Amino acid sequence: PDRILEHDGERVLVAPKVVDTLLVLVEHAGQVISKEQLMAEVWPDVTVVESGLTRNISVLRKAIGDDDGTARYIETVPRRGYRFI
């Protein structure tokens, strides 16, 4: 199925794995999800280095207008993972 990401009514073009990252975060909204769990769910059959996840989170934040310094949607929980607020 097509995955379409929109922000403020505008279609945002991002790689499918970026949308998959958002879906996993939203499915666990309010909960801290570890980097390891995120990588396992987004890339179930592939070994991925943490920088791949970090890049996806960065692209996702930019796409939805979030800022790590004043996170409104995606919170970084140091040494634990991420949380969709």
mmCIF file with all atom_site columns, all heavy atoms in Angstrom, residues 15-41:
data_model
loop_
_atom_site.group_PDB
_atom_site.id
_atom_site.type_symbol
_atom_site.label_atom_id
_atom_site.label_alt_id
_atom_site.label_comp_id
_atom_site.label_asym_id
_atom_site.label_entity_id
_atom_site.label_seq_id
_atom_site.pdbx_PDB_ins_code
_atom_site.Cartn_x
_atom_site.Cartn_y
_atom_site.Cartn_z
_atom_site.occupancy
_atom_site.B_iso_or_equiv
_atom_site.pdbx_formal_charge
_atom_site.auth_seq_id
_atom_site.auth_comp_id
_atom_site.auth_asym_id
_atom_site.auth_atom_id
_atom_site.pdbx_PDB_model_num
ATOM 1   N N   . ALA A 1 15 ? 11.277 9.069  1.900  1.00 0.00 ? 15 ALA A N   1
ATOM 2   C CA  . ALA A 1 15 ? 11.482 7.654  1.604  1.00 0.00 ? 15 ALA A CA  1
ATOM 3   C C   . ALA A 1 15 ? 10.491 6.801  2.409  1.00 0.00 ? 15 ALA A C   1
ATOM 4   O O   . ALA A 1 15 ? 10.107 7.172  3.521  1.00 0.00 ? 15 ALA A O   1
ATOM 5   C CB  . ALA A 1 15 ? 12.914 7.251  1.944  1.00 0.00 ? 15 ALA A CB  1
ATOM 6   N N   . PRO A 1 16 ? 10.084 5.664  1.854  1.00 0.00 ? 16 PRO A N   1
ATOM 7   C CA  . PRO A 1 16 ? 9.134  4.794  2.561  1.00 0.00 ? 16 PRO A CA  1
ATOM 8   C C   . PRO A 1 16 ? 9.577  4.406  3.975  1.00 0.00 ? 16 PRO A C   1
ATOM 9   O O   . PRO A 1 16 ? 8.744  4.327  4.881  1.00 0.00 ? 16 PRO A O   1
ATOM 10  C CB  . PRO A 1 16 ? 9.042  3.560  1.662  1.00 0.00 ? 16 PRO A CB  1
ATOM 11  C CG  . PRO A 1 16 ? 9.374  4.075  0.293  1.00 0.00 ? 16 PRO A CG  1
ATOM 12  C CD  . PRO A 1 16 ? 10.401 5.148  0.521  1.00 0.00 ? 16 PRO A CD  1
ATOM 13  N N   . LYS A 1 17 ? 10.867 4.191  4.194  1.00 0.00 ? 17 LYS A N   1
ATOM 14  C CA  . LYS A 1 17 ? 11.338 3.805  5.522  1.00 0.00 ? 17 LYS A CA  1
ATOM 15  C C   . LYS A 1 17 ? 11.184 4.940  6.532  1.00 0.00 ? 17 LYS A C   1
ATOM 16  O O   . LYS A 1 17 ? 11.061 4.704  7.731  1.00 0.00 ? 17 LYS A O   1
ATOM 17  C CB  . LYS A 1 17 ? 12.791 3.328  5.480  1.00 0.00 ? 17 LYS A CB  1
ATOM 18  C CG  . LYS A 1 17 ? 12.964 1.995  4.774  1.00 0.00 ? 17 LYS A CG  1
ATOM 19  C CD  . LYS A 1 17 ? 12.240 0.879  5.492  1.00 0.00 ? 17 LYS A CD  1
ATOM 20  C CE  . LYS A 1 17 ? 12.490 -0.452 4.808  1.00 0.00 ? 17 LYS A CE  1
ATOM 21  N NZ  . LYS A 1 17 ? 11.683 -1.527 5.383  1.00 0.00 ? 17 LYS A NZ  1
ATOM 22  N N   . VAL A 1 18 ? 11.176 6.182  6.056  1.00 0.00 ? 18 VAL A N   1
ATOM 23  C CA  . VAL A 1 18 ? 10.928 7.324  6.944  1.00 0.00 ? 18 VAL A CA  1
ATOM 24  C C   . VAL A 1 18 ? 9.484  7.270  7.424  1.00 0.00 ? 18 VAL A C   1
ATOM 25  O O   . VAL A 1 18 ? 9.190  7.453  8.608  1.00 0.00 ? 18 VAL A O   1
ATOM 26  C CB  . VAL A 1 18 ? 11.251 8.659  6.240  1.00 0.00 ? 18 VAL A CB  1
ATOM 27  C CG1 . VAL A 1 18 ? 10.836 9.850  7.097  1.00 0.00 ? 18 VAL A CG1 1
ATOM 28  C CG2 . VAL A 1 18 ? 12.736 8.732  5.899  1.00 0.00 ? 18 VAL A CG2 1
ATOM 29  N N   . VAL A 1 19 ? 8.560  6.983  6.516  1.00 0.00 ? 19 VAL A N   1
ATOM 30  C CA  . VAL A 1 19 ? 7.149  6.845  6.890  1.00 0.00 ? 19 VAL A CA  1
ATOM 31  C C   . VAL A 1 19 ? 6.985  5.642  7.815  1.00 0.00 ? 19 VAL A C   1
ATOM 32  O O   . VAL A 1 19 ? 6.249  5.704  8.807  1.00 0.00 ? 19 VAL A O   1
ATOM 33  C CB  . VAL A 1 19 ? 6.241  6.723  5.647  1.00 0.00 ? 19 VAL A CB  1
ATOM 34  C CG1 . VAL A 1 19 ? 4.784  6.521  6.055  1.00 0.00 ? 19 VAL A CG1 1
ATOM 35  C CG2 . VAL A 1 19 ? 6.374  7.959  4.768  1.00 0.00 ? 19 VAL A CG2 1
ATOM 36  N N   . ASP A 1 20 ? 7.673  4.541  7.529  1.00 0.00 ? 20 ASP A N   1
ATOM 37  C CA  . ASP A 1 20 ? 7.615  3.370  8.401  1.00 0.00 ? 20 ASP A CA  1
ATOM 38  C C   . ASP A 1 20 ? 8.082  3.719  9.811  1.00 0.00 ? 20 ASP A C   1
ATOM 39  O O   . ASP A 1 20 ? 7.508  3.245  10.800 1.00 0.00 ? 20 ASP A O   1
ATOM 40  C CB  . ASP A 1 20 ? 8.482  2.230  7.849  1.00 0.00 ? 20 ASP A CB  1
ATOM 41  C CG  . ASP A 1 20 ? 7.929  1.637  6.562  1.00 0.00 ? 20 ASP A CG  1
ATOM 42  O OD1 . ASP A 1 20 ? 6.750  1.894  6.222  1.00 0.00 ? 20 ASP A OD1 1
ATOM 43  O OD2 . ASP A 1 20 ? 8.687  0.915  5.890  1.00 0.00 ? 20 ASP A OD2 1
ATOM 44  N N   . THR A 1 21 ? 9.121  4.546  9.915  1.00 0.00 ? 21 THR A N   1
ATOM 45  C CA  . THR A 1 21 ? 9.624  4.980  11.219 1.00 0.00 ? 21 THR A CA  1
ATOM 46  C C   . THR A 1 21 ? 8.535  5.739  11.972 1.00 0.00 ? 21 THR A C   1
ATOM 47  O O   . THR A 1 21 ? 8.287  5.492  13.157 1.00 0.00 ? 21 THR A O   1
ATOM 48  C CB  . THR A 1 21 ? 10.883 5.858  11.047 1.00 0.00 ? 21 THR A CB  1
ATOM 49  O OG1 . THR A 1 21 ? 11.877 5.116  10.346 1.00 0.00 ? 21 THR A OG1 1
ATOM 50  C CG2 . THR A 1 21 ? 11.434 6.301  12.398 1.00 0.00 ? 21 THR A CG2 1
ATOM 51  N N   . LEU A 1 22 ? 7.850  6.643  11.279 1.00 0.00 ? 22 LEU A N   1
ATOM 52  C CA  . LEU A 1 22 ? 6.756  7.393  11.896 1.00 0.00 ? 22 LEU A CA  1
ATOM 53  C C   . LEU A 1 22 ? 5.642  6.450  12.344 1.00 0.00 ? 22 LEU A C   1
ATOM 54  O O   . LEU A 1 22 ? 5.110  6.588  13.450 1.00 0.00 ? 22 LEU A O   1
ATOM 55  C CB  . LEU A 1 22 ? 6.212  8.442  10.929 1.00 0.00 ? 22 LEU A CB  1
ATOM 56  C CG  . LEU A 1 22 ? 5.006  9.242  11.429 1.00 0.00 ? 22 LEU A CG  1
ATOM 57  C CD1 . LEU A 1 22 ? 5.344  10.011 12.705 1.00 0.00 ? 22 LEU A CD1 1
ATOM 58  C CD2 . LEU A 1 22 ? 4.505  10.176 10.333 1.00 0.00 ? 22 LEU A CD2 1
ATOM 59  N N   . LEU A 1 23 ? 5.294  5.492  11.509 1.00 0.00 ? 23 LEU A N   1
ATOM 60  C CA  . LEU A 1 23 ? 4.226  4.553  11.860 1.00 0.00 ? 23 LEU A CA  1
ATOM 61  C C   . LEU A 1 23 ? 4.548  3.787  13.137 1.00 0.00 ? 23 LEU A C   1
ATOM 62  O O   . LEU A 1 23 ? 3.682  3.619  14.004 1.00 0.00 ? 23 LEU A O   1
ATOM 63  C CB  . LEU A 1 23 ? 3.969  3.573  10.713 1.00 0.00 ? 23 LEU A CB  1
ATOM 64  C CG  . LEU A 1 23 ? 3.296  4.159  9.482  1.00 0.00 ? 23 LEU A CG  1
ATOM 65  C CD1 . LEU A 1 23 ? 3.242  3.123  8.359  1.00 0.00 ? 23 LEU A CD1 1
ATOM 66  C CD2 . LEU A 1 23 ? 1.894  4.631  9.817  1.00 0.00 ? 23 LEU A CD2 1
ATOM 67  N N   . VAL A 1 24 ? 5.777  3.325  13.276 1.00 0.00 ? 24 VAL A N   1
ATOM 68  C CA  . VAL A 1 24 ? 6.170  2.591  14.482 1.00 0.00 ? 24 VAL A CA  1
ATOM 69  C C   . VAL A 1 24 ? 6.077  3.512  15.694 1.00 0.00 ? 24 VAL A C   1
ATOM 70  O O   . VAL A 1 24 ? 5.550  3.118  16.748 1.00 0.00 ? 24 VAL A O   1
ATOM 71  C CB  . VAL A 1 24 ? 7.586  1.987  14.341 1.00 0.00 ? 24 VAL A CB  1
ATOM 72  C CG1 . VAL A 1 24 ? 8.060  1.390  15.663 1.00 0.00 ? 24 VAL A CG1 1
ATOM 73  C CG2 . VAL A 1 24 ? 7.612  0.925  13.250 1.00 0.00 ? 24 VAL A CG2 1
ATOM 74  N N   . LEU A 1 25 ? 6.553  4.739  15.559 1.00 0.00 ? 25 LEU A N   1
ATOM 75  C CA  . LEU A 1 25 ? 6.481  5.689  16.674 1.00 0.00 ? 25 LEU A CA  1
ATOM 76  C C   . LEU A 1 25 ? 5.035  5.965  17.072 1.00 0.00 ? 25 LEU A C   1
ATOM 77  O O   . LEU A 1 25 ? 4.690  5.980  18.263 1.00 0.00 ? 25 LEU A O   1
ATOM 78  C CB  . LEU A 1 25 ? 7.196  6.987  16.319 1.00 0.00 ? 25 LEU A CB  1
ATOM 79  C CG  . LEU A 1 25 ? 8.718  6.920  16.266 1.00 0.00 ? 25 LEU A CG  1
ATOM 80  C CD1 . LEU A 1 25 ? 9.288  8.181  15.629 1.00 0.00 ? 25 LEU A CD1 1
ATOM 81  C CD2 . LEU A 1 25 ? 9.299  6.715  17.659 1.00 0.00 ? 25 LEU A CD2 1
ATOM 82  N N   . VAL A 1 26 ? 4.171  6.171  16.090 1.00 0.00 ? 26 VAL A N   1
ATOM 83  C CA  . VAL A 1 26 ? 2.765  6.471  16.366 1.00 0.00 ? 26 VAL A CA  1
ATOM 84  C C   . VAL A 1 26 ? 2.073  5.263  17.003 1.00 0.00 ? 26 VAL A C   1
ATOM 85  O O   . VAL A 1 26 ? 1.258  5.416  17.920 1.00 0.00 ? 26 VAL A O   1
ATOM 86  C CB  . VAL A 1 26 ? 2.044  6.929  15.082 1.00 0.00 ? 26 VAL A CB  1
ATOM 87  C CG1 . VAL A 1 26 ? 0.538  6.985  15.280 1.00 0.00 ? 26 VAL A CG1 1
ATOM 88  C CG2 . VAL A 1 26 ? 2.572  8.299  14.646 1.00 0.00 ? 26 VAL A CG2 1
ATOM 89  N N   . GLU A 1 27 ? 2.404  4.057  16.537 1.00 0.00 ? 27 GLU A N   1
ATOM 90  C CA  . GLU A 1 27 ? 1.814  2.839  17.121 1.00 0.00 ? 27 GLU A CA  1
ATOM 91  C C   . GLU A 1 27 ? 2.147  2.718  18.601 1.00 0.00 ? 27 GLU A C   1
ATOM 92  O O   . GLU A 1 27 ? 1.411  2.095  19.354 1.00 0.00 ? 27 GLU A O   1
ATOM 93  C CB  . GLU A 1 27 ? 2.308  1.598  16.381 1.00 0.00 ? 27 GLU A CB  1
ATOM 94  C CG  . GLU A 1 27 ? 1.711  1.435  15.008 1.00 0.00 ? 27 GLU A CG  1
ATOM 95  C CD  . GLU A 1 27 ? 2.369  0.333  14.187 1.00 0.00 ? 27 GLU A CD  1
ATOM 96  O OE1 . GLU A 1 27 ? 3.385  -0.251 14.636 1.00 0.00 ? 27 GLU A OE1 1
ATOM 97  O OE2 . GLU A 1 27 ? 1.854  0.047  13.091 1.00 0.00 ? 27 GLU A OE2 1
ATOM 98  N N   . HIS A 1 28 ? 3.266  3.294  19.012 1.00 0.00 ? 28 HIS A N   1
ATOM 99  C CA  . HIS A 1 28 ? 3.705  3.238  20.411 1.00 0.00 ? 28 HIS A CA  1
ATOM 100 C C   . HIS A 1 28 ? 3.644  4.627  21.052 1.00 0.00 ? 28 HIS A C   1
ATOM 101 O O   . HIS A 1 28 ? 4.442  4.926  21.942 1.00 0.00 ? 28 HIS A O   1
ATOM 102 C CB  . HIS A 1 28 ? 5.134  2.685  20.484 1.00 0.00 ? 28 HIS A CB  1
ATOM 103 C CG  . HIS A 1 28 ? 5.270  1.308  19.935 1.00 0.00 ? 28 HIS A CG  1
ATOM 104 N ND1 . HIS A 1 28 ? 4.923  0.188  20.651 1.00 0.00 ? 28 HIS A ND1 1
ATOM 105 C CD2 . HIS A 1 28 ? 5.688  0.851  18.727 1.00 0.00 ? 28 HIS A CD2 1
ATOM 106 C CE1 . HIS A 1 28 ? 5.131  -0.899 19.918 1.00 0.00 ? 28 HIS A CE1 1
ATOM 107 N NE2 . HIS A 1 28 ? 5.594  -0.509 18.740 1.00 0.00 ? 28 HIS A NE2 1
ATOM 108 N N   . ALA A 1 29 ? 2.726  5.460  20.600 1.00 0.00 ? 29 ALA A N   1
ATOM 109 C CA  . ALA A 1 29 ? 2.630  6.844  21.067 1.00 0.00 ? 29 ALA A CA  1
ATOM 110 C C   . ALA A 1 29 ? 2.613  6.908  22.590 1.00 0.00 ? 29 ALA A C   1
ATOM 111 O O   . ALA A 1 29 ? 1.932  6.128  23.259 1.00 0.00 ? 29 ALA A O   1
ATOM 112 C CB  . ALA A 1 29 ? 1.383  7.509  20.500 1.00 0.00 ? 29 ALA A CB  1
ATOM 113 N N   . GLY A 1 30 ? 3.416  7.831  23.117 1.00 0.00 ? 30 GLY A N   1
ATOM 114 C CA  . GLY A 1 30 ? 3.493  8.022  24.552 1.00 0.00 ? 30 GLY A CA  1
ATOM 115 C C   . GLY A 1 30 ? 4.497  7.119  25.248 1.00 0.00 ? 30 GLY A C   1
ATOM 116 O O   . GLY A 1 30 ? 4.845  7.344  26.397 1.00 0.00 ? 30 GLY A O   1
ATOM 117 N N   . GLN A 1 31 ? 4.959  6.094  24.555 1.00 0.00 ? 31 GLN A N   1
ATOM 118 C CA  . GLN A 1 31 ? 5.910  5.149  25.130 1.00 0.00 ? 31 GLN A CA  1
ATOM 119 C C   . GLN A 1 31 ? 7.296  5.406  24.552 1.00 0.00 ? 31 GLN A C   1
ATOM 120 O O   . GLN A 1 31 ? 7.432  5.745  23.386 1.00 0.00 ? 31 GLN A O   1
ATOM 121 C CB  . GLN A 1 31 ? 5.527  3.711  24.777 1.00 0.00 ? 31 GLN A CB  1
ATOM 122 C CG  . GLN A 1 31 ? 4.157  3.287  25.196 1.00 0.00 ? 31 GLN A CG  1
ATOM 123 C CD  . GLN A 1 31 ? 3.790  1.933  24.597 1.00 0.00 ? 31 GLN A CD  1
ATOM 124 O OE1 . GLN A 1 31 ? 4.644  1.162  24.201 1.00 0.00 ? 31 GLN A OE1 1
ATOM 125 N NE2 . GLN A 1 31 ? 2.506  1.664  24.528 1.00 0.00 ? 31 GLN A NE2 1
ATOM 126 N N   . VAL A 1 32 ? 8.311  5.196  25.371 1.00 0.00 ? 32 VAL A N   1
ATOM 127 C CA  . VAL A 1 32 ? 9.679  5.264  24.856 1.00 0.00 ? 32 VAL A CA  1
ATOM 128 C C   . VAL A 1 32 ? 9.934  3.961  24.108 1.00 0.00 ? 32 VAL A C   1
ATOM 129 O O   . VAL A 1 32 ? 9.681  2.878  24.627 1.00 0.00 ? 32 VAL A O   1
ATOM 130 C CB  . VAL A 1 32 ? 10.708 5.423  25.994 1.00 0.00 ? 32 VAL A CB  1
ATOM 131 C CG1 . VAL A 1 32 ? 12.122 5.377  25.438 1.00 0.00 ? 32 VAL A CG1 1
ATOM 132 C CG2 . VAL A 1 32 ? 10.465 6.720  26.740 1.00 0.00 ? 32 VAL A CG2 1
ATOM 133 N N   . ILE A 1 33 ? 10.368 4.086  22.879 1.00 0.00 ? 33 ILE A N   1
ATOM 134 C CA  . ILE A 1 33 ? 10.717 2.908  22.082 1.00 0.00 ? 33 ILE A CA  1
ATOM 135 C C   . ILE A 1 33 ? 12.222 2.957  21.841 1.00 0.00 ? 33 ILE A C   1
ATOM 136 O O   . ILE A 1 33 ? 12.758 3.979  21.421 1.00 0.00 ? 33 ILE A O   1
ATOM 137 C CB  . ILE A 1 33 ? 9.899  2.829  20.770 1.00 0.00 ? 33 ILE A CB  1
ATOM 138 C CG1 . ILE A 1 33 ? 10.220 1.571  20.016 1.00 0.00 ? 33 ILE A CG1 1
ATOM 139 C CG2 . ILE A 1 33 ? 10.069 4.051  19.936 1.00 0.00 ? 33 ILE A CG2 1
ATOM 140 C CD1 . ILE A 1 33 ? 9.247  1.246  18.902 1.00 0.00 ? 33 ILE A CD1 1
ATOM 141 N N   . SER A 1 34 ? 12.881 1.872  22.153 1.00 0.00 ? 34 SER A N   1
ATOM 142 C CA  . SER A 1 34 ? 14.342 1.846  22.041 1.00 0.00 ? 34 SER A CA  1
ATOM 143 C C   . SER A 1 34 ? 14.771 1.916  20.584 1.00 0.00 ? 34 SER A C   1
ATOM 144 O O   . SER A 1 34 ? 14.020 1.550  19.674 1.00 0.00 ? 34 SER A O   1
ATOM 145 C CB  . SER A 1 34 ? 14.906 0.576  22.686 1.00 0.00 ? 34 SER A CB  1
ATOM 146 O OG  . SER A 1 34 ? 14.595 -0.561 21.894 1.00 0.00 ? 34 SER A OG  1
ATOM 147 N N   . LYS A 1 35 ? 15.990 2.363  20.397 1.00 0.00 ? 35 LYS A N   1
ATOM 148 C CA  . LYS A 1 35 ? 16.550 2.414  19.049 1.00 0.00 ? 35 LYS A CA  1
ATOM 149 C C   . LYS A 1 35 ? 16.587 1.016  18.454 1.00 0.00 ? 35 LYS A C   1
ATOM 150 O O   . LYS A 1 35 ? 16.290 0.833  17.267 1.00 0.00 ? 35 LYS A O   1
ATOM 151 C CB  . LYS A 1 35 ? 17.952 3.024  19.078 1.00 0.00 ? 35 LYS A CB  1
ATOM 152 C CG  . LYS A 1 35 ? 17.952 4.473  19.493 1.00 0.00 ? 35 LYS A CG  1
ATOM 153 C CD  . LYS A 1 35 ? 19.356 5.019  19.617 1.00 0.00 ? 35 LYS A CD  1
ATOM 154 C CE  . LYS A 1 35 ? 19.336 6.448  20.102 1.00 0.00 ? 35 LYS A CE  1
ATOM 155 N NZ  . LYS A 1 35 ? 20.683 6.997  20.221 1.00 0.00 ? 35 LYS A NZ  1
ATOM 156 N N   . GLU A 1 36 ? 16.930 0.039  19.267 1.00 0.00 ? 36 GLU A N   1
ATOM 157 C CA  . GLU A 1 36 ? 17.010 -1.343 18.784 1.00 0.00 ? 36 GLU A CA  1
ATOM 158 C C   . GLU A 1 36 ? 15.642 -1.849 18.316 1.00 0.00 ? 36 GLU A C   1
ATOM 159 O O   . GLU A 1 36 ? 15.528 -2.488 17.272 1.00 0.00 ? 36 GLU A O   1
ATOM 160 C CB  . GLU A 1 36 ? 17.559 -2.263 19.885 1.00 0.00 ? 36 GLU A CB  1
ATOM 161 C CG  . GLU A 1 36 ? 19.003 -1.986 20.254 1.00 0.00 ? 36 GLU A CG  1
ATOM 162 C CD  . GLU A 1 36 ? 19.195 -0.787 21.196 1.00 0.00 ? 36 GLU A CD  1
ATOM 163 O OE1 . GLU A 1 36 ? 18.188 -0.250 21.737 1.00 0.00 ? 36 GLU A OE1 1
ATOM 164 O OE2 . GLU A 1 36 ? 20.348 -0.380 21.380 1.00 0.00 ? 36 GLU A OE2 1
ATOM 165 N N   . GLN A 1 37 ? 14.602 -1.545 19.087 1.00 0.00 ? 37 GLN A N   1
ATOM 166 C CA  . GLN A 1 37 ? 13.258 -1.968 18.704 1.00 0.00 ? 37 GLN A CA  1
ATOM 167 C C   . GLN A 1 37 ? 12.807 -1.267 17.430 1.00 0.00 ? 37 GLN A C   1
ATOM 168 O O   . GLN A 1 37 ? 12.223 -1.882 16.538 1.00 0.00 ? 37 GLN A O   1
ATOM 169 C CB  . GLN A 1 37 ? 12.265 -1.715 19.831 1.00 0.00 ? 37 GLN A CB  1
ATOM 170 C CG  . GLN A 1 37 ? 10.862 -2.216 19.513 1.00 0.00 ? 37 GLN A CG  1
ATOM 171 C CD  . GLN A 1 37 ? 9.864  -1.960 20.620 1.00 0.00 ? 37 GLN A CD  1
ATOM 172 O OE1 . GLN A 1 37 ? 10.224 -1.514 21.714 1.00 0.00 ? 37 GLN A OE1 1
ATOM 173 N NE2 . GLN A 1 37 ? 8.606  -2.226 20.351 1.00 0.00 ? 37 GLN A NE2 1
ATOM 174 N N   . LEU A 1 38 ? 13.076 0.029  17.340 1.00 0.00 ? 38 LEU A N   1
ATOM 175 C CA  . LEU A 1 38 ? 12.722 0.779  16.130 1.00 0.00 ? 38 LEU A CA  1
ATOM 176 C C   . LEU A 1 38 ? 13.402 0.179  14.904 1.00 0.00 ? 38 LEU A C   1
ATOM 177 O O   . LEU A 1 38 ? 12.761 -0.047 13.874 1.00 0.00 ? 38 LEU A O   1
ATOM 178 C CB  . LEU A 1 38 ? 13.147 2.242  16.268 1.00 0.00 ? 38 LEU A CB  1
ATOM 179 C CG  . LEU A 1 38 ? 12.074 3.246  16.621 1.00 0.00 ? 38 LEU A CG  1
ATOM 180 C CD1 . LEU A 1 38 ? 12.690 4.602  16.914 1.00 0.00 ? 38 LEU A CD1 1
ATOM 181 C CD2 . LEU A 1 38 ? 11.043 3.360  15.546 1.00 0.00 ? 38 LEU A CD2 1
ATOM 182 N N   . MET A 1 39 ? 14.693 -0.086 15.028 1.00 0.00 ? 39 MET A N   1
ATOM 183 C CA  . MET A 1 39 ? 15.426 -0.645 13.888 1.00 0.00 ? 39 MET A CA  1
ATOM 184 C C   . MET A 1 39 ? 14.888 -2.027 13.527 1.00 0.00 ? 39 MET A C   1
ATOM 185 O O   . MET A 1 39 ? 14.744 -2.344 12.343 1.00 0.00 ? 39 MET A O   1
ATOM 186 C CB  . MET A 1 39 ? 16.929 -0.698 14.195 1.00 0.00 ? 39 MET A CB  1
ATOM 187 C CG  . MET A 1 39 ? 17.563 0.680  14.204 1.00 0.00 ? 39 MET A CG  1
ATOM 188 S SD  . MET A 1 39 ? 19.364 0.700  14.353 1.00 0.00 ? 39 MET A SD  1
ATOM 189 C CE  . MET A 1 39 ? 19.606 0.130  16.016 1.00 0.00 ? 39 MET A CE  1
ATOM 190 N N   . ALA A 1 40 ? 14.544 -2.828 14.516 1.00 0.00 ? 40 ALA A N   1
ATOM 191 C CA  . ALA A 1 40 ? 14.020 -4.174 14.250 1.00 0.00 ? 40 ALA A CA  1
ATOM 192 C C   . ALA A 1 40 ? 12.659 -4.121 13.559 1.00 0.00 ? 40 ALA A C   1
ATOM 193 O O   . ALA A 1 40 ? 12.353 -4.963 12.711 1.00 0.00 ? 40 ALA A O   1
ATOM 194 C CB  . ALA A 1 40 ? 13.923 -4.965 15.556 1.00 0.00 ? 40 ALA A CB  1
ATOM 195 N N   . GLU A 1 41 ? 11.840 -3.131 13.908 1.00 0.00 ? 41 GLU A N   1
ATOM 196 C CA  . GLU A 1 41 ? 10.511 -3.036 13.300 1.00 0.00 ? 41 GLU A CA  1
ATOM 197 C C   . GLU A 1 41 ? 10.532 -2.379 11.922 1.00 0.00 ? 41 GLU A C   1
ATOM 198 O O   . GLU A 1 41 ? 9.760  -2.754 11.050 1.00 0.00 ? 41 GLU A O   1
ATOM 199 C CB  . GLU A 1 41 ? 9.557  -2.300 14.241 1.00 0.00 ? 41 GLU A CB  1
ATOM 200 C CG  . GLU A 1 41 ? 9.233  -3.130 15.469 1.00 0.00 ? 41 GLU A CG  1
ATOM 201 C CD  . GLU A 1 41 ? 8.081  -2.583 16.271 1.00 0.00 ? 41 GLU A CD  1
ATOM 202 O OE1 . GLU A 1 41 ? 7.111  -2.063 15.679 1.00 0.00 ? 41 GLU A OE1 1
ATOM 203 O OE2 . GLU A 1 41 ? 8.143  -2.674 17.519 1.00 0.00 ? 41 GLU A OE2 1
#
